[in-house]
């Protein structure tokens, strides 16, 4: 029983009493022995450290004892042994760049390119890279002369500059066939950033109501626009045109046809031109209409072309009071190069054909300024038609041409039909045509026949001028009259300046001061 109870006692989880644990005196002896061993170990370490320091000091002293020349030689040996981690000096790098640039210059001179302007430009370090740029430009169609005209293009990287710019132009719709002309006119585009420089300009043009499909044509006509500041010349020129009366809805079409306006300074180019035409007697609103119809007239040089041409017109007997009508009818006349010789040539030609004098020639120019561009064959052919087919005398022909110079430019086949109807149906004397030669300028089916039939049905006898020289509404009013008002038989002028200044429904007030200008 006792043994069973002894066996049932649980074994403790930790030692409470150890029968072999030393006594207090034995423990003290053991601890002292351990401390003495630790002291001896520390003393040994201290002596070892002192020995190492003495050895290091001795080696440094030996090294200091080496002569200066030996140290230099030793340094060279050490550098040579570790050349894998050495770097070239700044002077060595500079000499290498100079040598590489000299090789690139030698290559360029060898193919005919003058590199004098490239001195301050960062160039490729190898001839192979420069050759790649030259070959790329050649493949585009540019010649050595083109590169010499703007050698800075050689500073453009093919991959970083040229290809991104040309790809962007192609995406816009600029035709590849025009790239050569494009780059010849504005090679600086290859330096541009697509995102920073080109895209904002394209967005601005679209904001000027230029249709997306017209953007490529605008850029082809005037690639220099890609280099303009948005808030500079472009914005002020457009604002000025709106200010003088150019309709807002016409701005997009005006810029599409003549985008060079965007590069014109208001104070130096546009405003002086407008004011000069005003000085001739053309109202400002009429000038605005002329710009809408032909914006290219703003490109006529005022001093070197417009003023000399106006002077030539006056010299050939065009009356000063008629200058506004002449310019309004045919604005190109003030921009024709060599106008004076052309005037002299036509004056001599008409004088030789039907003895037209200088004063009558001035009247012809006033009534149809386009006569100066008529070919001699056309003039002779029309004169022969009036003489031979219609049986007018030369004196009558001269009189008819002075009154209506348009006779020299009409379709002869249509003139024959009108003349046959005049003789066979209207049965009027030839003197009626001499008095009103503009008869040939009216449509036979649309005007002459219907009105003739009406007056015949009503039994009215009238002149050709009274019959034809009025609008349809005016003619209907005349048919309601019981009698003919003789004052209405006076021919109206062939050109009415008021037609240019008709108000439009979409016009609004100007938001630009007329006197504002940009120098």
């Amino acid at each position: 029983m006792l043994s069973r109870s002894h066996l049932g006692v649980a074994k403790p989880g930790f030692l409470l009493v150890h029968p072999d644990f030393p006594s207090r005196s034995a423990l003290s002896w053991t601890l002292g022995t351990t401390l003495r061993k630790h002291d001896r170990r520390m003393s040994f370490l201290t002596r070892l450290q002192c020995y190492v320091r003495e050895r290091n000091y001795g080696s440094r002293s030996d090294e200091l004892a080496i002569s200066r020349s030996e140290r230099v030689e030793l340094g060279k040996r050490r550098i040579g042994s570790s050349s894998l981690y050495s770097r070239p000096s700044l002077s060595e790098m500079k000499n290498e760049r100079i040598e590489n640039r000299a090789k690139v210059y030698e290559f360029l001179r060898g193919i005919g390119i003058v590199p004098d302007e490239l001195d301050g430009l960062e160039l490729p370090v190898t001839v192979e890279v420069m050759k790649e740029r030259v070959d790329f430009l050649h493949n585009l169609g540019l010649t050595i002369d083109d590169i010499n005209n703007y050698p800075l293009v050689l500073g453009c990287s093919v991959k970083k500059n040229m290809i991104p710019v040309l790809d962007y132009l192609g995406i816009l719709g600029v035709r590849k066939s025009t790239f050569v002309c494009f780059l010849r006119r504005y090679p600086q585009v290859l330096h541009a950033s697509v995102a920073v420089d080109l895209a904002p300009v394209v967005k601005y043009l679209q904001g000027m109501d230029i249709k997306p499909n017209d953007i490529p044509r605008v850029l082809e006509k005037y690639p220099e626009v890609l280099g303009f500041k948005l808030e500079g010349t472009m914005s002020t020129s457009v604002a000025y045109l709106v200010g003088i009366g150019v309709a807002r809805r016409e701005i997009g079409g005006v810029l599409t046809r003549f985008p060079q306006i965007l590069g014109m300074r208001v104070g130096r180019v546009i405003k002086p031109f407008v004011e000069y035409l005003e000085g001739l007697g053309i109202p400002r609103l009429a000038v605005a209409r002329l710009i809408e119809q032909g914006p290219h007239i703003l490109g006529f040089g005022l001093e070197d072309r417009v003023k000399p041409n106006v002077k030539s017109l006056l010299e050939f007997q065009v009356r000063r009071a008629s200058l506004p009508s002449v310019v309004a009818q045919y604005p190109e006349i003030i921009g024709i190069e060599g106008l004076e010789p052309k005037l002299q040539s036509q004056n001599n030609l008409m004088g030789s054909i039907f003895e037209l004098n200088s004063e009558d020639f001035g009247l012809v120019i006033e009534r149809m300024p386009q006569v100066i561009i008529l070919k001699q064959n056309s003039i002779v052919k029309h004169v022969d038609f009036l003489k031979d087919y219609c049986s007018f005398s030369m004196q009558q022909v001269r009189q008819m041409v002075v009154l209506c110079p348009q006779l020299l430019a009409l379709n002869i086949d249509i003139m024959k039909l009108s003349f046959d109807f005049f003789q066979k149906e209207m049965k009027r004397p030839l003197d009626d045509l001499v008095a009103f030669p503009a008869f040939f300028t009216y449509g036979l089916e649309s005007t002459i026949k219907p009105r003739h039939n009406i007056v015949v049905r009503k039994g009215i006898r009238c002149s050709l001028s009274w019959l034809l020289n009025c609008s349809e509404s005016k003619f209907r009013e005349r048919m309601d009259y019981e009698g003919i008002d003789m004052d209405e038989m006076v021919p109206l002028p062939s050109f009415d300046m008021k037609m240019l200044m008709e108000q439009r429904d979409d016009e609004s007030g100007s938001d630009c001061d007329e006197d504002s200008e940009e120098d």
Side-chain angles (χ1 to χ4, degrees):
M1 296 295 292
L2 292 173
S3 62
R4 284 195 299 270
S5 62
H6 175 75
L7 292 173
V9 177
K11 190 176 182 178
F14 58 91
L15 184 62
L16 296 177
V17 178
H18 197 287
D20 297 330
F21 195 83
S23 63
R24 182 180 184 92
S25 58
L27 181 61
S28 300
W29 179 84
T30 302
L31 180 60
T33 303
T34 303
L35 292 174
R36 283 195 297 272
K37 290 180 180 180
H38 174 73
D39 292 340
R40 286 197 297 271
R41 187 180 296 109
M42 293 300 296
S43 176
F44 171 77
L45 292 174
T46 302
R47 289 197 301 272
L48 179 62
Q49 290 174 356
C50 292
Y51 173 76
V52 171
R53 284 198 295 270
E54 290 174 358
R55 294 287 295 176
N56 290 340
Y57 176 78
S59 64
R60 283 201 302 271
S61 299
D62 294 340
E63 189 178 47
L64 291 173
I66 300 175
S67 64
R68 180 181 181 87
S69 61
E70 290 175 342
R71 289 201 306 270
V72 173
E73 183 66 24
L74 180 60
K76 289 183 179 179
R77 288 199 300 270
R78 289 177 177 175
I79 292 176
S81 64
S82 60
S83 60
L84 180 62
Y85 303 101
S86 63
R87 295 181 180 178
S89 64
L90 293 177
S91 60
E92 289 175 343
M93 294 173 62
K94 181 178 180 181
N95 292 335
E96 184 179 2
R97 286 196 300 268
I98 293 175
E99 183 180 352
N100 289 335
R101 182 176 285 268
K103 292 179 181 179
V104 171
Y105 277 19
E106 182 180 358
F107 163 73
L108 293 176
R109 290 191 182 97
I111 61 176
I113 297 176
V114 182
D116 296 346
E117 298 183 27
L118 304 178
D119 289 343
L121 193 67
E122 188 70 24
L123 293 180
V125 295
T126 64
V127 173
E128 288 74 16
V129 177
M130 178 57 75
K131 185 176 184 302
E132 179 189 7
R133 295 185 183 183
V134 174
D135 290 343
F136 186 83
L137 294 173
H138 280 333
N139 291 334
L140 290 176
L142 297 180
T143 63
I144 295 297
D145 290 338
D146 296 328
I147 298 176
N148 278 327
N149 289 333
Y150 188 72
L152 298 181
V153 72
L154 296 175
C156 298
S157 168
V158 173
K159 295 180 180 179
K160 295 180 180 179
N161 301 107
M162 299 184 189
I163 291 179
V165 168
L166 296 177
D167 284 347
Y168 179 71
L169 294 177
I171 292 172
L172 289 177
V174 176
R175 295 166 294 181
K176 290 185 178 180
S177 60
T178 66
F179 277 179
V180 175
C181 293
F182 194 104
L183 295 177
R184 283 174 179 168
R185 290 184 55 182
Y186 189 59
Q188 296 89 338
V189 71
L190 295 178
H191 295 285
S193 164
V194 172
V196 177
D197 302 318
L198 305 185
V201 174
V202 172
K203 184 177 180 181
Y204 179 86
L205 295 177
Q206 293 174 339
M208 290 288 102
D209 293 334
I210 298 177
K211 299 177 182 178
N213 292 337
D214 292 330
I215 293 292
R217 306 293 87 82
V218 169
L219 298 180
E220 291 173 2
K221 291 179 182 178
Y222 193 51
E224 294 88 343
V225 72
L226 291 173
F228 293 150
K229 295 181 180 179
L230 302 184
E231 300 303 326
T233 303
M234 290 198 294
S235 59
T236 55
S237 59
V238 171
Y240 181 81
L241 292 180
V242 173
I244 66 172
V246 175
R248 294 180 184 275
R249 70 177 184 181
E250 299 293 333
I251 288 294
V254 167
L255 297 179
T256 299
R257 285 176 286 159
F258 194 67
Q260 290 83 349
I261 291 174
L262 294 171
M264 293 180 174
R265 294 187 178 274
V266 172
R268 297 180 184 178
V269 180
I270 302 178
K271 186 177 181 181
F273 180 85
V274 171
E275 291 179 346
Y276 181 77
L277 294 188
E278 284 187 285
L280 294 180
I282 305 176
R284 173 166 290 199
L285 189 56
V287 175
R289 295 292 177 266
L290 292 177
I291 293 174
E292 291 177 4
Q293 296 172 7
H296 63 280
I297 65 174
L298 291 173
F300 297 158
L302 181 60
E303 298 296 332
D304 59 351
R305 190 70 58 82
V306 176
K307 291 183 178 180
N309 284 358
V310 169
K311 181 180 179 182
S312 297
L313 290 172
L314 295 174
E315 291 174 351
F316 280 85
Q317 306 301 317
V318 173
R319 294 169 295 181
R320 183 173 292 275
S322 299
L323 283 175
S325 175
V326 171
V327 176
Q329 289 181 75
Y330 188 51
E332 283 76 7
I333 198 169
I334 59 176
I336 293 177
E337 184 177 2
L339 177 62
E340 183 176 358
K342 293 182 183 295
L343 290 169
Q344 186 63 59
S345 176
Q346 293 297 75
N347 188 22
N348 295 339
L349 176 62
M350 293 184 182
S352 63
I353 294 177
F354 42 82
E355 299 178 357
L356 192 69
N357 58 43
S358 298
E359 184 176 350
D360 287 341
F361 180 72
L363 294 175
V364 169
I365 296 297
E366 292 177 8
R367 290 164 180 165
M368 187 184 138
Q370 295 89 340
V371 74
I372 63 170
I373 62 174
L374 292 181
K375 303 296 184 182
Q376 179 177 347
N377 292 340
S378 176
I379 296 176
V380 172
K381 187 183 299 185
H382 285 80
V383 170
D384 289 343
F385 166 76
L386 294 174
K387 284 172 45 183
D388 301 335
Y389 189 84
C390 301
S391 301
F392 291 109
S393 67
M394 186 58 71
Q395 182 179 358
Q396 289 175 321
V397 171
R398 181 173 63 252
Q399 182 178 347
M400 294 172 69
V401 169
V402 171
L403 290 176
C404 183
Q406 289 79 7
L407 294 177
L408 301 176
L410 297 175
N411 185 299
I412 290 181
D413 292 333
I414 295 177
M415 292 177 70
K416 286 180 180 179
L417 295 176
S418 297
F419 183 76
D420 291 343
F421 182 80
F422 175 84
Q423 274 196 322
K424 297 175 182 179
E425 300 296 331
M426 302 180 75
K427 297 180 181 179
R428 289 172 174 262
L430 290 179
D431 288 342
D432 285 2
L433 288 178
V434 175
F436 190 70
F439 167 86
F440 289 102
T441 65
Y442 291 89
L444 178 61
E445 299 297 333
S446 61
T447 305
I448 296 175
K449 283 185 178 181
R451 293 190 181 185
H452 170 73
N453 292 335
I454 291 175
V455 296
V456 168
R457 190 165 57 250
K458 287 182 170 287
I460 299 175
R461 297 184 61 85
C462 61
S463 67
L464 291 177
S465 174
W466 190 89
L467 176 69
L468 300 174
N469 195 14
C470 62
S471 63
E472 283 298 324
S473 59
K474 185 66 175 179
F475 179 75
R476 288 193 295 270
E477 290 179 5
R478 288 178 176 179
M479 292 301 98
D480 294 334
Y481 292 170
E482 296 181 357
I484 297 177
D485 187 350
M486 298 302 297
D487 292 338
E488 293 182 353
M489 296 176 63
V490 179
L492 297 175
S494 58
F495 179 80
D496 187 3
M497 185 71 70
K498 294 180 180 179
M499 295 174 60
L500 279 176
M501 298 183 292
E502 293 178 353
Q503 294 293 329
R504 299 180 177 180
D505 295 337
D506 66 326
E507 289 179 353
S508 60
S510 168
D511 58 357
C512 174
D513 190 296
E514 293 181 355
D515 295 331
S516 64
E517 64 180 89
E518 180 190 356
D519 294 330

